Amino acid sequence: MTTHASGDLGIHAAGLTKSYGDLRVLDGIDLAVPRGSVLALLGPNGAGKTTTVRILATLTAADSGTARVAGLDTVTERSRVRRLIALTGQFAAVDELRTGTETLHMMGRLAGLSPRAARARADELLARFGLTEAAGRTAKTYSGGMRRRLDLAASLVSRPEVLFLDEPTTGLDPRSRQDLWELVRELRTDGTTVLLTTQYLEEADRLADRVAVLADGRIAAEGTPAELKSRVAGHRLDLTLTTGAAYEALAPRAVHLAPDELTLGLPTDGTAAHVRALLDELDPDRTDIERFTLRSATLDDVFLALTGADR
Ligand SMILES: Nc1ncnc2c1ncn2[C@@H]1O[C@H](COP(=O)(O)OP(=O)(O)OP(=O)(O)O)[C@@H](O)[C@H]1O
Ligand SMILES: [Mg+2]
């Protein structure tokens, strides 16, 4: 029943801008997501991830720029776009007074399935999301994670061509998170285009064909997970120096600076060999470095490295 529109981009946005009053949230966003692929949109709180998703899902209008989703214009062909997409929001939106079965059955009927097909689809999705046992209870009695899973299941009833998942795994336990990742992979195999937002680098790494990093209203970096990771070190060696002079001497090489503590961070792969070599190279006389700490690169480090905001 799915009709695939022509063109090989599931999502194509050009020059999207959006302001709320004086606040410029999006300052010219371009995105090109091939059909049947997964794009992870990464960004810190308030970066504009949800705003971007809402524009692409036709819930908000951009101030300027254009977006095509499933080959259709999100403004002039809005109602057709809506029939081909599904959106799971950042905050689970389920009807508390309906049971899991009722919710999915209703969604199936709204999507045009026969009563029998709607029930079969509901049962299939309930099983897939581990909700079979809870299917007959009202969502009011569900835990946060169960609500999220029901919300996700509801968005999949109609087998969308383009699926938007806004922080889909926030609040899920590790097992449910794995299940969701598996599901997204299956959807991609079936040809669904997926745009998901996430705060978790690991999630982007495991799931996404490409990653776009949103910062200061723009796409600060875009590429495969491997490409982006190669631009930031996996670990950071934080050195606390004994003197201001030693600090100043090393500062140009640092990716992280905390002058008040005479501490700065340098990229490293985290191996003992590299850390030892770095320490020897930076402080051959063993007088300048007081302490060191090895830490994994955090999402912050990645953002900072990619946007250069830390230098
Ligand atoms: N309806 C609105 N009215 C005014 N400001 C808004 C509105 N919606 C979003 N904003 C502002 O736009 C900015 C981007 O918000 P958005 O929700 O898109 O960020 P986000 O990247 O999804 O963040 P988070 O990681 O916290 O979900 C924020 O500063 C937010 O306060
Ligand atoms: Mg958001």
Side-chain angles (χ1 to χ4, degrees), residues 50 90 166-167:
T50 297
Q90 184 169 4
D166 196 4
E167 300 200 21

Side-chain angles (χ1 to χ4, degrees), residues 270-281:
T271 59
H274 188 246
V275 169
R276 186 178 288 139
L278 258 182
L279 293 173
D280 285 342
E281 180 208 334

Side-chain angles (χ1 to χ4, degrees), residues 154-178:
S155 72
L156 293 173
V157 166
S158 60
R159 299 178 200 274
E161 215 172 292
V162 178
L163 177 63
F164 296 98
L165 299 173
D166 196 4
E167 300 200 21
T169 59
T170 300
L172 293 188
D173 61 32
R175 176 66 207 278
S176 302
R177 179 169 293 181
Q178 296 279 354

